[in-house]
Amino acid sequence: MTDMAGPSENTTLRQRTTASSKPEYPTKLTEDVEVKEVVTSVFTPAEQKQSLTVLAGLTVLALISRFYKINEPDEVVFDEVHFGKFASYYIQGTYFFDVHPPLAKMMLAAMGYFIGYDGHFLFDNIGDSYVTNNVPYIGLRALPAFLGAMTVPIVYMTLREAGYPIVTCALAAFFITFDNMLVTQTRLILLDSMLVFFIVCSIYSYVRFHKTRNNPFSVQWWTWLLATGVSIALTTSVKMVGLLTVATIGVAVLCDLWVLLDIRRRLTMQEFMRHFWARAFALIFVPMVIYLFWFYVHFAVLTHSGPGDDFMSSEFQETLHGNTMADGLYIKYGDNITIRHKDTSVYLHSHPHNYPRRYEDARISSAGQQVTGYAHADPNNIWHITSDDPSNPKTGEQVMNKDVIRLLHVSTSSWLLAHDVASPTMSTNEEITTYSTEEDGSRLNETTFQIMLDSGGDKFRTMASAFKLIHVDTKVAVWTHPQKLPEWGFEQQEVNGNKNILQKTTLWWSDSVEGKDAEEIEQEAAKPVKKRSFFLKYVELQGKMFSHNAGLTGKHPYQSQPIEWPFLTKGISFWTQNDTRKQIYLLGNPLGMWIAAGGLAVIVGIVGADVLSRRRGYYPLNQDVQRRFYSATGFFFVGWALHYLPFFLMGRALFLHHYMPAQVFSYMILATAHGFIFVEGVDAPISEPGPEVRPRRLQRAVVPTLAYISAAILAAIHLASFLYFAPLAYGTSAIDVPGLARRRLLSQWEFHFAK
Amino acid sequence: MNNGTSSAVNQATGPVFRGPPARTSSKGTMGQDPLQEASHDATGTGNRTSLDEKRDKINTRYPGEDHSQFTKFKSRRSLAWYQDQELQVVGVITAVALVVRLWAIGYPTSVVFDEVHFGGFASKYIKGRFFMDVHPPLAKMLIALTGWIFGLDPSFDFKEIGLDYIEPKVPYVPMRIMCGLMGVAVVPMAFYTVRNSGHSLHAAALAALLVLFENSIVTQSRLILLDSPLIFFTAWTVLAWVNFHNQRHDPFSDDWFIWLFLTGVGLGLSFSVKWVGLFIIATIGISTLNQLWTLWGDLRITPRNWVNHFIARAFCLIAVPMAVYMLMFEIHFLVLGSSGDGDGFMSAPFQMTLGHSLQDSPLSVAYGSTVSIRHQGTQGGYLHSHGSNYVTGSKQQQVTLYPHKDTNNDWIIQKRDGTVPEDLEYIANGDYVRLMHVSTRKRLHSHDHKAPVTETEHHFEVSAYGFDGFAGDANDEWRVEIVDHDGSDAASGEMLHTLRSKFKLVHANMNCDLFSHKVKLPKWAFEQQEVTCMRSAVVAKTTWVIESNQYDSYPEDVQMVNYKKPGFLSKFVELNKVMWTTNAGLTDSHPYDSRPSSWPWMRRGISFWGKDQKHIYLVGNWFTWYLSSAAVVLYAAIRCLLFLRDKRGYHDNAGGLREYYELSGGFFFMAWVFHYVPFFLMGRQLFLHHYLPALYFAILLFSVTFDLGCRFIPKRFRLVLAVLVVLTAIFVFRTRAPLTYGSEWTRPECEASKVLTSWDYDCNQFPQSYDQYASYAATAGDKREEQEQGYERDQEAEEGEEYDQLLEQAVPAAEMQQAQIGEDTALAQEEQSGGAYASDDSQITDASVTTDGQEPSSDSDIDDEELVEEA
């Protein structure tokens, strides 16, 4: 660190005038020459020391805010139901299914493992007591709380590395320390603490990387590039919203590459591609490996059958110890089987009654024997499976995928048949009926069906094989839906031929083979747990996670719309205790968030004014200030936008806490906006000098007293608001009715015990 | 993090954004990326003079070539029409279009596809009965106007696909011709759009002919549908905008204003046909912003002058379209003055304007008065009970929400102890009351039973309970909590006032709120809307008002209130909101719906109609379609390539062609993007015909690509090439024309016409040879007819399936209602069956009025009572 004279209050800000402004090429020195020292930091040692003190102080505050009475409440709160449970499952090795990637849950589980928790408790209901169930919940909560606290110094250092004066950095860190939502959400057994922590790590690493850009491919450059890659990988391994962080870094990298591509940078295409591949390796390949690694661990740990089995295919389930899938019997031609519908669990059924010739709506049927879906076990559910060739029934041979079969209804001895006649209730679907064996065989081709196995390998089995029955002649799938037939059909469920054979609801399975003797079952059932390649397992699980996540459209009383988040019009009730009238109500720091929303508006206004005036040939901003504004604040703004706007496109149920990552960015933006308004000039340069970069004169920011005063006022407002709402964030003390009424600034906040 | 060279580079391009004055004015940028312009300038090319020089060079390189089209648009008015080659070309093409589009337009002689809806709306307009539809009114009113002029008998209701037009003498031919002519007009407009963008006659004619011979556009414009007007107004807007753009060197001139104004009118009209008109608004909007941005960078233009530019555009492109749009609704409201099947969608004040009347009621509500209580969160109607019991839960008397006026909606308000004070005592906020159902003498009651349909833990059953001599119990007590009130009447926040106080009824014992949502009870409760008592419910669904209030003891001079009849604006806003929520709720699947990703390669069409071994199936001209899609991809690829090459310092100018490609091509490309990409965000069901406006722009883009791609080959080859393309398109059109016109076809030809196996028209319905059509008609015997009938119904059902189902269900439901509870008036029957379907694209729109008990997805109601987030 060079001892350099602080450059001077007398350095006037370079005010570029319109007339003299010229495009500035890096290779040409137009002005600002004469500084020959090699500088590594524009900050003085004294200032660095001061900064460390402030950093330490803020870290302590952050730890206090997160760990304050962390033992309360000693009951299960909100989504601890899920994530606590998952931790238990990890410790016990029981397979479960969740829409989020595994890292954060494994971290919690590891924490539990190290403090000696055996995973006996399943966190079933909000309000279950930890004490009576003997769960070391404080240890479990300590991990998120610690990471939540560590977010604060990292944000401080990020802004510091981006070249902001102490007051700006401290302001951002302070806002993050005393935000009610961040506090509530990070001191419980939830994933968001890890998520936010890794996000800020990503941003920090990228800022560090960007600062080394004048020495490409140096050790430092590689270190921070890889650190960025690792951080975004960890973020994405916590929750899929980490992809938004990836997008943020991606946008920055693309901008960076775009600049490098410029012919005036004089990089050859080979050099440019080297840059490109280095980034691709560190930011795409490395993160993918890390992301997959956690899944590898996930599968390695969860080896026993559990509540997640049913989400997975039967091949997958067979890899788990103690799964019933292994009990599946191989079905051979000539077996009598029962067939059940996957969705509605009815048996494929027929009985000696016919469809009416003419329905109530005057449509005409074939008046053939009814085929219905029946919910109960019954001899009429039994079907005899045989090949499509009457001369060669293939008796005893294994039924394979894509075999063409016929099904004989045993008790009425008639063949299952589909034909182009409208079904009883849906005129677009085909009627399914049966056709007596006594009549002549001319309708053979209408009675043949192809078995299409959806899962469970190539051999048709009970239990394990889900299959579709595709009518060979007309290409419809045998299907049923919860529409009851009228009285003539005994109000059983309608079965018909669905033209859309891709529908998942056309799946059936066979649950038993009639008359197979127990010995044979025993013999077949004794199968070892199967192996399956990691990638197949991963692809399947990832697909299920996506489809399930998109399917979370159920309504929830506390869900909210993204447009509401920056204005905090709705909170979430996390936990209530009737006896003590205590509650935890997730709510951001209202005043802080509103101020931050104002900060965002200010930024947009500044950008608009700057762009418009530059278009008119007027340059209102000092060049360094402008650069800093766009490269730092602009970067954070992109982060905010990318962590917020995509939620508008999501159909699933959304909650206020989804705004947390964006909120961290918004506080950082607020601080830089404050700096933009109150601090004159910027400290520059802050990037490391490189061999090809011309030395530049150092510039110092001037922090006037007003900046400190205004920052102090903002901080005071924020802190007061925090303390005022703190009882709702911590749930450690009850508020009386008038107190709640006073705190209910917006009528949409529905506190409990308010009456 | 800001030293180094990155921002210096940006700086370098910064100043040139302004551009030297002489340049910017000569270069209009339309739909063009400003960055692109910047890079042009940065590389020192592209000012006017050098462009002209280049042009001269090309002229010398290819002597004898006419490159005059290259110059900017010139008025060609000076020529007499018969001398003008262009007009002759357009005349011929339009004449061909008239023949092609209107050929045998009277066939089929029965209702096809969505004519069910749009024909039906025409009848309703003529009757003046209010209805609800998700589309704005313009095109429907045009159809209705045509029908009215030609004497459409409004008793014909277009009820189902296949209904005969001939027998009831429906003037369907003029109605179809009206749509058809709009389709014809698109052809010359395509010509002029390309021509006036500065392209050659070849390109313009090519564009017009490709649009002309596009099977799907032809099919769609021959029937009584909204898409033909939509494409017409969209094409019109673009033409006007191109003409306006050509006036850019002469701002604020008459022509400039006329075309700007006409663009605005076009925007308004497009938007008044369908909301997808928003896409053309976005297209023009971006183009406008680009223009303003260019002007802003032109330092010769003073801020004041710029403001003039801005105001002129804001007026013509914002105010004018809005005025047009609102005007259409004004006409809509004027025509639909009386009550109809759309009433049920609208609020009570709105219904007041449709001939529903409500007597004035006393303002203050006293104990002992008889009131009717209306639910605010849904348009479900009044708190209702009748002499039937629940078959579930407590098996006590049902309490429902019923949309029509009826004596069973009357409740008497009693004190907490079930008495009525002798003196007048008014009800205040927070009072506990009981509600006695007048006709059955039972009290509104709730208890710890699961609600009949919504069986989640937060819903409790609400019943009417009690018998003579029973004093009631604590479960009859409800607390009145006023949650909102009319601002003009401050007292209504404290005292319960008729119409003005919006209140919750909170059950005293269980602390749940009286609640209703768009969930229908089963048939045993006549499919009326469910009422429950719910905890943690959203406030909107628990809000009620007193609508009528009667009590003999009120003094003579009591202050009376009634709904304020809403003015045009509030009606307009309300109807648009309802349209929006209904539209968003169209999420059911349809046998022929498709996702946008399948459109550019036309994976599948739509079956419109089938009868007598003839079939109408919406499918495009694959040749035109794939050429246009290829042009779009090519354009995107070329622009990306050029973008990268610019950055690497290569200056591809292609002899000045690039500018043209980026200008007109860029605009059409942007229009295509705006008419296509937003569909990906829509959750509702979509159909192939939603792609047609985008297809139109893709065809224009293709003709531009063709023009510039052929620029360097001699003119006669260019002509030959254009003729080849057109002939191929015509051939492809001709070979699939039977699907467009519903004319005779044979099975082998049908089989041969399938380019993709996923085109699912059934070739088996066509006979082997044409002569079988004659024999088919001759041999149609009784039995055969019966079979055929079944078959037809099957076909029809493909389109109108849900409609049919609904009708089947709705009518008996209403009948039953009348039979079983006499009090529910006869009016109910009609409304019940009619109000059941409002439609879009052959689909029932509002799940709230279908009888299957589905909840519309747009409903903000709380359904899942788990207090834990599903992780």
Side-chain angles (χ1 to χ4, degrees), chain A residues 16 18 21-27 78-79 81-83 86 98-100 126 161-163 206-207 210-211 213-214 256 258-269 272 358 361-364 420 422 425-429 483 499 503 552 554-558 570 573 611-619 623-628 631-632 635 649 652-653 655 657-658 682-689 693-694 696 750 752 755, chain B residues 1-19 24 29 34-35 37-38 42 290-304 306 458 479 481 504 506 511 534-539 589 591-592 603 640 643-651 681 762 786-787 789-791 793-799 801 804-805 808-809 855-871:
Chain A
R16 304 179 67 217
T18 319
S21 70
K22 264 186 270 174
E24 197 177 303
Y25 295 93
T27 47
F78 197 56
D79 275 1
V81 163
H82 299 295
F83 304 118
F86 296 148
D98 182 31
V99 294
H100 300 301
I126 294 179
E161 292 293 340
Y206 188 76
V207 168
H210 194 70
K211 286 179 69 176
R213 71 191 177 285
N214 295 323
D256 196 22
W258 187 241
V259 169
L260 289 177
L261 186 63
D262 195 307
I263 189 73
R264 286 166 296 193
R265 282 300 290 258
R266 298 186 170 176
L267 288 182
T268 63
M269 259 338 252
F272 174 77
R358 197 175 264 277
D361 57 0
R363 279 180 312 139
I364 298 186
D420 196 1
T425 69
M426 298 181 70
S427 47
T428 47
N429 289 20
Q483 165 90 41
K499 286 177 187 161
Q503 268 184 15
L552 287 182
K555 302 261 172 66
H556 188 284
Y558 293 105
K570 204 168 178 187
S573 173
V611 167
L612 285 178
S613 55
R614 278 199 290 155
R615 179 79 177 161
R616 287 301 280 186
Y618 172 66
Y619 292 81
Q623 193 194 14
D624 282 308
V625 171
Q626 189 206 336
R627 267 190 212 163
R628 175 67 47 81
S631 59
F635 178 49
L649 302 179
R652 60 161 285 183
F655 297 88
H657 60 246
H658 288 137
V682 287
D683 293 317
I686 47 127
S687 291
E688 288 168 25
V693 181
R694 70 197 159 87
R696 297 182 48 209
E750 287 162 351
H752 287 268
K755 285 183 189 114
Chain B
M1 42 186 289
N2 70 340
N3 75 3
T5 52
S6 59
S7 25
V9 172
N10 291 335
Q11 280 296 309
T13 55
V16 296
F17 268 62
R18 288 171 291 152
T24 321
T29 48
L35 263 178
E37 193 194 346
N290 191 31
Q291 284 182 353
L292 289 173
W293 179 248
T294 310
L295 291 172
W296 181 252
D298 183 349
L299 292 184
R300 289 178 317 162
I301 294 182
T302 61
R304 190 189 172 81
W306 188 86
H458 274 225
R479 187 174 66 243
E481 275 184 25
K504 292 205 289 190
V506 184
N511 204 24
M534 184 181 173
R535 283 187 192 145
S536 311
V538 289
V539 177
S589 74
Y592 284 98
R603 201 185 78 83
C640 286
F643 193 42
L644 288 173
R645 282 178 61 85
D646 282 346
K647 197 74 182 168
R648 292 304 292 174
Y650 300 97
H651 309 306
L681 303 180
D762 184 7
E786 189 174 296
Q787 272 182 6
Q789 196 185 357
Y791 164 74
R793 282 203 60 95
D794 198 21
Q795 287 297 312
E796 291 152 18
E798 305 250 332
E799 320 306 340
E801 170 209 321
D804 284 347
Q805 267 188 17
E808 287 155 19
Q809 292 173 10
E855 189 153 2
S857 62
S858 61
D859 204 333
S860 61
D861 171 33
I862 293 173
D863 225 344
D864 183 355
E865 256 54 64
E866 263 189 302
L867 285 166
V868 181
E869 174 196 5
E870 277 193 70

